[in-house]
Amino acid sequence: MSTEIIKEILKDITDGKISDAVFEGANIVLYTKDKEFLANDAGLIKSIVNKIKKRIELRPDPELCHPQEKAEVEIRKIIDAEAGIDQIIFDPQRSVVIIEAEKPGLAIGRQGELLQEIKTKTFWVPIVKRTPLIRSQIIENIRSVLYQNSDYRRKFLHKTGERIYNGWLREKKHEWIRASYLGGARQVGRSCILLQTPESRILLDCGIDVSSPEDPYPYLEAPELNLKELDAIIVSHPHIDHTGLVPYLFKYGYRGPVYCTAPTRDIMALLQLDIIKIQRGEGK
């Protein structure tokens, strides 16, 4: 809670209202043990968001959350059986409960009324997701890793946020951006763009060109690229020519976040496993 942006936020909130303040990547999460403040902050959080122009979420402190067994019973009472709840997964580190349902609309309720009721009665923050129409063991394993390692994930996201907001100032600063094409320029395949600003180094995609055995990979030897100084990787979509070399970066020292949508994450993993199988079969 030592970064400047956290201090700026807490200045406007009465002492004792916030039990913890953490980053979830670029998002800021405030935890409270005050039930009345959680139920009605009188627009305070919204006013702070308008001032600093960052996303802030107020959540119940994990100590407020009802026991998981009791909360699950309550959730199943609130949501009609017609919604087709498949599974309920608790993330106690973040006071979040993931509800997978065949009909998400029925689980959410009109204007989110059921979600609000769940939050009010159980002090868990519900997130509703659609049950996959076709089950995939690989995708199930991906999600299982996320849920089972919630403590590590919370720490990782907080560390990522600290890097994002390091040196944060509300005042405008002179800024510039430099884009270096390490692959994908005037060609289809091995898309990879290094974006540099005064404060960050971001890689946009890192793919391979499966049609070019002579030169299939991006130019990662570029002097501007240092994996240990790279702040993030952003994946635009899951095709191999945009994602095929992302696992390679972790093998050679990258330890930062990869930003993508949930569908991109799942499809990317499937395609990467597929290309590994093909290349092994070809002796590469």
Side-chain angles (χ1 to χ4, degrees):
M1 295 172 60
S2 60
T3 62
E4 293 302 316
I5 193 168
I6 293 293
K7 291 179 181 178
E8 183 78 14
I9 292 169
L10 296 181
K11 281 196 310 185
D12 296 326
I13 302 177
T14 306
D15 289 344
K17 295 289 186 184
I18 302 301
S19 58
D20 197 9
V22 300
F23 297 113
E24 285 190 359
N27 297 333
I28 300 165
V29 180
L30 306 178
Y31 291 91
T32 181
K33 296 180 181 180
D34 189 321
K35 295 181 181 180
E36 293 183 2
F37 182 64
L38 180 66
N40 182 15
D41 61 43
L44 178 59
I45 300 300
K46 184 178 180 180
S47 68
I48 297 174
V49 168
N50 291 335
K51 182 173 73 171
I52 67 171
K53 307 301 181 185
K54 302 296 179 183
R55 181 175 178 179
I56 302 174
E57 182 180 352
L58 181 65
R59 290 185 194 158
D61 188 276
E63 291 185 11
L64 282 183
C65 298
H66 287 188
Q68 294 181 20
E69 296 81 5
K70 181 180 178 182
E72 180 167 349
V73 171
E74 190 65 42
I75 290 169
R76 292 186 182 276
K77 285 182 181 178
I78 294 171
I79 298 176
D80 193 278
E82 190 180 349
I85 294 178
D86 180 55
Q87 58 180 334
I88 297 175
I89 304 166
F90 292 91
D91 185 349
Q93 299 292 335
R94 301 167 57 231
S95 303
V96 167
V97 56
I98 297 97
I99 304 168
E100 290 193 356
E102 295 175 1
K103 299 178 180 179
L106 295 180
I108 293 171
R110 184 175 298 176
Q111 297 182 338
E113 60 183 2
L114 297 184
L115 300 184
Q116 186 57 43
E117 185 177 353
I118 291 170
K119 185 176 179 180
T120 301
K121 291 185 176 180
T122 69
F123 295 103
W124 287 88
V125 178
I127 297 175
V128 175
K129 296 185 177 182
R130 184 185 299 277
T131 300
L133 296 177
I134 301 175
R135 288 289 182 183
S136 165
Q137 189 58 52
I138 293 175
I139 293 177
E140 291 291 330
N141 291 343
I142 292 170
R143 295 179 178 178
S144 176
V145 168
L146 291 176
Y147 300 147
Q148 291 175 7
N149 294 278
S150 60
D151 182 50
Y152 168 80
R153 188 164 179 252
R154 179 181 177 179
K155 292 176 181 177
F156 176 82
L157 290 172
H158 181 70
K159 185 177 180 180
T160 299
E162 287 183 323
R163 291 189 66 177
I164 291 172
Y165 290 109
N166 183 33
W168 176 85
L169 294 172
R170 186 138 48 100
E171 296 79 11
K172 293 285 185 180
K173 297 178 291 183
H174 292 293
E175 295 184 345
W176 52 265
I177 184 169
R178 178 183 181 185
S180 302
Y181 281 77
L182 308 183
R186 297 184 179 181
Q187 68 177 145
V188 176
R190 65 172 193 160
S191 293
C192 187
I193 304 172
L194 176 63
L195 300 177
Q196 297 170 276
T197 74
E199 298 178 347
S200 61
R201 304 289 184 272
I202 295 172
L203 207 61
L204 177 58
D205 293 334
C206 192
I208 61 177
D209 185 353
V210 294
S211 66
S212 175
E214 296 82 14
D215 199 15
Y217 308 124
Y219 183 61
L220 300 182
E221 297 84 1
E224 298 91 344
L225 179 61
N226 184 332
L227 291 180
K228 293 183 179 180
E229 295 178 356
L230 196 62
D231 294 302
I233 299 170
I234 299 176
V235 173
S236 60
H237 64 284
H239 291 167
I240 287 298
D241 60 322
H242 289 259
T243 68
L245 216 61
V246 171
Y248 174 93
L249 301 180
F250 284 90
K251 181 178 180 180
Y252 285 90
Y254 178 66
R255 293 296 181 268
V258 176
Y259 291 97
C260 62
T261 64
T264 292
R265 176 198 65 202
D266 295 344
I267 298 172
M268 174 173 61
L270 292 171
L271 293 178
Q272 287 170 346
L273 290 172
D274 190 47
I275 194 67
I276 289 171
K277 181 179 179 181
I278 292 172
Q279 289 187 329
R280 281 180 175 174
E282 295 177 350
K284 296 181 180 179

